[in-house]
């Protein structure tokens, strides 16, 4: 199932909500441990957003490589895909699901 922009936006809105909550908690002098817990949730949310974006970009590149009849365009998409490689260490996703299509 391809990653949809809606899922990414929803995850960003979730992170945004947690960020606002962390700010309110600081304003209300909540214990640091609780604020740090919110920051950890925000970090996980942002990692999820990065993973979804990376997955969406890989899916787009692979689809173009498979379907574009122009060799130059396929090479451009392959280069675009290779430029994503450094991000694979930072953001993880189930690549085997994408490549199996």
């Amino acid at each position: 199932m391809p990653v949809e922009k809606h899922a990414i936006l929803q995850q960003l809105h979730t992170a945004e909500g947690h960020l606002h909550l962390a700010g309110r908690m600081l304003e209300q002098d909540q214990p640091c441990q609780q604020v740090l817990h919110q920051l950890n949730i925000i970090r996980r949310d942002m990692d999820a957003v990065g993973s979804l974006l990376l997955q969406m970009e890989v899916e787009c590149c692979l689809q173009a490589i498979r379907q574009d009849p122009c060799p130059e365009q396929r090479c451009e998409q392959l280069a675009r895909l290779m430029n994503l490689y450094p991000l694979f260490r930072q953001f993880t996703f189930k690549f085997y699901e994408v490549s199996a299509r």
Side-chain angles (χ1 to χ4, degrees), residues 3-22:
V3 175
E4 295 183 16
K5 193 185 301 187
H6 175 74
I8 296 169
L9 288 171
Q10 186 175 5
Q11 193 68 43
L12 276 174
H13 290 305
T14 298
E16 183 180 33
H18 286 291
L19 185 59
H20 286 295
L21 178 59

Side-chain angles (χ1 to χ4, degrees), residues 33-46:
Q33 183 178 3
Q34 292 177 5
V35 177
L36 288 169
H37 178 71
Q38 284 301 313
L39 293 177
N40 191 41
I41 291 170
I42 294 164
R43 181 180 303 122
R44 286 193 315 239
D45 288 342
M46 297 310 298

Side-chain angles (χ1 to χ4, degrees), residues 17-61:
H18 286 291
L19 185 59
H20 286 295
L21 178 59
R24 282 196 309 271
M25 291 171 76
L26 279 172
E27 289 170 350
Q28 297 170 357
D29 295 322
Q30 295 288 325
C32 288
Q33 183 178 3
Q34 292 177 5
V35 177
L36 288 169
H37 178 71
Q38 284 301 313
L39 293 177
N40 191 41
I41 291 170
I42 294 164
R43 181 180 303 122
R44 286 193 315 239
D45 288 342
M46 297 310 298
D47 285 344
V49 167
S51 295
L52 288 170
L53 279 170
L54 182 59
Q55 184 174 348
M56 185 173 74
E57 189 69 10
V58 168
E59 288 173 355
C60 181
C61 289

Side-chain angles (χ1 to χ4, degrees), residues 74-89:
R74 289 195 308 263
C75 285
E76 284 181 23
Q77 291 299 321
L78 184 58
R80 187 171 149 202
L81 185 61
M82 291 178 70
N83 286 332
L84 295 173
Y85 181 75
L87 298 173
F88 280 82
R89 278 195 250 167

